[in-house]
Amino acid sequence: MAFPINQGDAFSSSTRQWDYDVFLSFRGEDTRNGFTGHLYQALCDNGINTFVDNDLERGEQISVELVKAIKSSMISIIIFSQNYAFSAWCLDELVEILNCKQNGQLVLPVFYKVDPSEVRKQQGKFKVALAKHENKFKDNIEKVLRWRAALNEAASLSGWHYEDGGPEYKFIQQIIENISYTKLNGRQLFVAKYPVGLNSRAKAIELLLDIKVNDVRMVGIHGLGGIGKTTIAKAIYNRIFEHFEGSCFLENVRENSRTNDGIIQLQEKLLSNILRENS
């Protein structure tokens, strides 16, 4: 079963060059010769340039080469399997991927024969794995806390959930179609190179929009020039545009259009009302 994408803080294939279309993150012992191998082949067969770490040497920490591959990928697909969290390598990889999400990468989780809530709440085998890590890294508990936070964040993103019993080839085809659409359209906006503190602000405004309600919503963002109003607006756009059949982002309306006086007057009136209500 698939569920729609509802995320993305900042990427644009038209404004940034990527070495790879997709980076695959997975627990090799679980899925390398099965699901992940089939997905990788399907991605390649459809012309999607995909990185998989078959040839990189494993160690205590992820390598410089792997970090570079993650940073230079437009999309990361995280394949959560039952034993994913037992691998410190996979968890470090996950943290790095989510760091890149803040800087423009689209992150899509695949829950392979594991319930998303089990990953998010760290239950079942994920609970056992994290307890094991806490014992091993008792002198560096901050590392385990980062892993816990990363699992919670990644499992809260929309992606795909495969439950045992369904045809895997159809499930993989759903992923391919979505990735192909994203690659061809590149509809998300580039937000900022270093979007510090942006995610929490975008989430707060997204809650105000409450897009699940079938209604018209308008939220005004006001403040001094240069504080990041447009940056936040772009981040919000990237988070919600997939929910609509059509979307556009009008930037620099005042400077770039001579036919939008009515829109500008409406914006100014709305802003005036907002300021009056907050005074």
Side-chain angles (χ1 to χ4, degrees):
M1 180 178 67
F3 44 99
I5 300 170
N6 173 25
Q7 61 131 338
D9 286 320
F11 93 86
S12 173
S13 57
S14 62
T15 61
R16 178 170 177 177
Q17 295 298 315
W18 307 95
D19 293 334
Y20 303 99
D21 298 320
V22 171
F23 178 92
L24 287 179
S25 175
F26 60 98
R27 169 79 160 158
E29 296 175 12
D30 286 359
T31 64
R32 185 187 301 278
N33 297 321
F35 175 78
T36 297
H38 298 150
L39 175 60
Y40 173 72
Q41 189 61 54
L43 288 164
C44 294
D45 289 346
N46 283 270
I48 299 170
N49 185 16
T50 304
F51 180 91
V52 64
D53 64 339
N54 284 328
D55 301 322
L56 293 180
E57 184 178 351
R58 297 270 171 166
E60 287 296 318
Q61 296 181 328
I62 59 176
S63 65
V64 174
E65 291 87 351
L66 193 63
V67 172
K68 181 179 178 182
I70 294 171
K71 289 182 176 179
S72 60
S73 298
M74 180 171 69
I75 302 166
S76 275
I77 297 178
I78 307 164
I79 301 171
F80 288 114
S81 53
Q82 284 289 335
N83 298 309
Y84 182 93
F86 283 98
S87 170
W89 177 287
C90 286
L91 293 171
D92 278 340
E93 197 172 271
L94 176 63
V95 170
E96 186 63 40
I97 286 170
L98 292 176
N99 286 338
C100 291
K101 175 178 176 289
Q102 300 300 319
N103 196 25
Q105 188 176 99
L106 182 62
V107 179
L108 303 172
V110 173
F111 303 94
Y112 183 74
K113 299 183 181 180
V114 61
D115 194 275
S117 65
E118 187 176 336
V119 182
R120 186 171 60 254
K121 298 177 182 178
Q122 287 125 59
Q123 298 173 337
K125 286 192 175 182
F126 285 80
K127 180 179 180 179
V128 175
L130 271 296
K132 181 179 178 181
H133 290 312
E134 285 180 344
N135 184 58
K136 180 178 179 180
F137 297 101
K138 55 187 175 183
D139 294 329
N140 187 14
I141 200 66
E142 292 81 7
K143 175 189 280 286
V144 182
L145 292 176
R146 285 196 297 272
W147 290 344
R148 286 188 178 277
L151 286 167
N152 179 272
E153 179 181 349
S156 298
L157 302 174
S158 294
W160 300 272
H161 181 197
Y162 176 80
E163 299 177 89
D164 200 8
E168 282 194 7
Y169 76 92
K170 288 186 177 180
F171 181 77
I172 287 174
Q173 189 57 40
Q174 290 178 351
I175 298 175
I176 298 299
E177 290 174 359
N178 196 291
I179 298 300
S180 298
Y181 174 83
T182 301
K183 176 187 172 184
L184 290 174
N185 286 274
R187 290 168 58 192
Q188 292 201 7
L189 305 171
F190 177 76
V191 175
K193 189 174 182 180
Y194 303 109
V196 179
L198 178 61
N199 195 42
S200 60
R201 291 171 172 81
K203 282 184 178 179
I205 296 176
E206 184 182 355
L207 290 174
L208 294 176
L209 288 170
D210 196 10
I211 60 174
K212 293 182 180 179
V213 177
N214 187 20
D215 195 4
V216 176
R217 294 296 173 98
M218 184 176 295
V219 174
I221 305 174
H222 66 90
L224 298 174
I227 65 170
K229 299 185 297 298
T230 300
T231 300
I232 293 173
K234 286 181 177 179
I236 297 164
Y237 174 90
N238 286 342
R239 298 179 69 89
I240 68 174
F241 79 96
E242 288 281 359
H243 286 276
F244 303 94
E245 293 181 2
S247 61
C248 68
F249 187 88
L250 299 179
E251 189 173 3
N252 298 325
V253 174
R254 182 187 296 275
E255 293 84 351
N256 296 334
S257 176
R258 297 179 181 180
T259 62
N260 288 286
D261 289 341
I263 295 176
I264 293 171
Q265 291 171 9
L266 176 59
Q267 290 174 331
E268 291 175 342
K269 183 176 180 181
L270 288 169
L271 179 57
S272 176
N273 289 338
I274 293 168
L275 292 172
R276 190 179 304 114
E277 291 173 1
N278 293 335
S279 60

